Amino acid sequence: DTIKLVDSIIKTAMSKRASDIHFEPMENKLRVRYRIDGELYTAVELEKHYWFNKNKYVRLFDKDDLEIY
């Protein structure tokens, strides 16, 4: 489920004290990376068809209000 995946990405970023999350579309995949202490670390790589066929964008209003379109 996409919402559970995004929730997990955000919770992991928070637990690692990441300052930001990068969603990087590539030719055949989507790379998710965290910036921690100024360095980017790859968190996960998702197959492009899994992510892009379902979602156009993610909007985070606050820690309890997440929308995925």
Side-chain angles (χ1 to χ4, degrees), residues 12-42:
T12 301
M14 291 172 61
S15 73
K16 294 182 177 291
R17 304 183 64 81
S19 60
D20 51 290
I21 304 170
H22 292 246
F23 291 88
E24 302 172 349
M26 304 173 79
E27 186 174 336
N28 294 315
K29 59 187 169 185
L30 175 75
R31 179 181 293 156
V32 179
R33 301 201 301 166
Y34 302 137
R35 183 175 304 280
I36 303 168
D37 295 328
E39 298 287 327
L40 284 173
Y41 298 93
T42 299

